[in-house]
Amino acid sequence: DTAVSQTPKYLVTQMGNDKSIKCEQNLGHDTMYWYKQDSKKFLKIMFSYNNKELIINETVPNRFSPKSPDKAHLNLHINSLELGDSAVYFCASSQESVASGSTTDTQYFGPGTRLTVL
Amino acid sequence: GQNIDQPTEMTATEGAIVQINCTYQTSGFNGLFWYQQHAGEAPTFLSYNVLDGLEEKGRFSSFLSRSKGYSYLLLKELQMKDSASYLCAVQDSNYQLIWGAGTKLIIKP
């Protein structure tokens, strides 16, 4: 039944390690996203991706890279983890490949992955 | 720059009505979303406005004035389960979602 799922839910790791967070959606949506929510609860878009276009927020370090094996999956790889990467990471998806300014642009979020870098 | 402003925190009483305001300054406008986020959980969609006026959905209503760059979320008959953060987000001219920092709503018995 789960629409957007992420694994793992919690991830604790050491500085300098490389880790991945997986995301899958079973809604048949065309576009997927990764967000970072920091301790101040501010949602920051990192990437949006459909089968045609990857849009990268230019403020995201290149240590972060999205990888999409197919339309239903968008995984997030993080290299050389830093203390400041500690946050909750949310995956989301929306219906349209081209935003239309309608409710089809509504984003549905996964449960989040709480990443703690020690 | 692009900016979404919401109050950081509000407190209301169970059974009462509360209005959460959102003002925005964005490069273009293609719609405004309200999301609810309970502590430790994912944001969930509440409402979408693209035309001026009031959209009502049960106990929740959302209003938009594009000329004023203003929206509000109205919650009626407040219940304890309505304690959450409420996020305002605007789609700009590139259909990118610009998010506010959210309003933490505390409901007291």
Side-chain angles (χ1 to χ4, degrees), chain A residues 2-118:
Chain A
T2 304
V4 184
S5 59
Q6 294 178 229
T7 55
K9 189 167 175 62
Y10 299 95
L11 182 55
V12 180
T13 188
Q14 299 289 328
M15 218 167 36
N17 284 350
D18 302 337
K19 290 293 178 185
S20 295
I21 306 172
K22 295 184 177 180
C23 177
E24 176 182 0
Q25 54 95 3
N26 63 6
L27 297 168
H29 286 172
D30 289 323
T31 306
M32 297 182 73
Y33 310 81
W34 275 106
Y35 284 90
K36 178 181 180 181
Q37 189 171 43
D38 59 26
S39 57
K40 294 182 180 178
K41 306 302 180 186
F42 188 68
L43 267 174
K44 176 183 171 183
I45 182 73
M46 301 177 73
F47 306 100
S48 66
Y49 182 79
N50 59 32
N51 56 5
K52 297 178 183 176
E53 189 177 15
L54 171 65
I55 299 174
I56 302 172
N57 184 327
E58 62 186 15
T59 66
V60 175
N62 58 14
R63 299 181 293 105
F64 291 79
S65 58
K67 293 209 169 41
S68 180
D70 55 57
K71 196 173 89 163
H73 297 83
L74 184 65
N75 303 326
L76 181 66
H77 295 270
I78 316 170
N79 294 326
S80 303
L81 278 156
E82 299 178 358
L83 294 177
D85 297 334
S86 295
V88 179
Y89 291 84
F90 286 101
C91 176
S93 71
S94 64
Q95 183 172 347
E96 297 288 346
S97 3
V98 176
S100 59
S102 71
T103 54
T104 56
D105 298 337
T106 299
Q107 294 182 18
Y108 295 85
F109 285 78
T113 296
R114 182 174 293 278
L115 172 64
T116 303
V117 182
L118 303 175

Side-chain angles (χ1 to χ4, degrees), chain B residues 37-108:
Chain B
Q37 185 176 24
H38 285 100
E41 297 183 11
T44 55
F45 169 75
L46 284 179
S47 68
Y48 173 77
N49 293 71
V50 68
L51 299 176
D52 290 350
L54 188 68
E55 294 278 344
E56 296 187 75
K57 192 186 290 187
R59 294 188 298 114
F60 293 6
S61 303
S62 56
F63 171 83
L64 175 68
S65 169
R66 288 172 296 172
S67 62
K68 295 181 179 177
Y70 167 70
S71 173
Y72 67 73
L73 181 69
L74 191 71
L75 292 75
K76 302 176 184 176
E77 301 169 17
L78 284 169
Q79 302 175 8
M80 297 303 293
K81 68 178 182 180
D82 297 330
S83 292
S85 288
Y86 291 85
L87 307 171
C88 173
V90 174
Q91 271 187 317
D92 66 10
S93 57
N94 295 319
Y95 295 96
Q96 298 298 310
L97 261 187
I98 313 300
W99 292 84
T103 299
K104 183 178 180 181
L105 178 62
I106 300 168
I107 309 296
K108 296 187 174 180

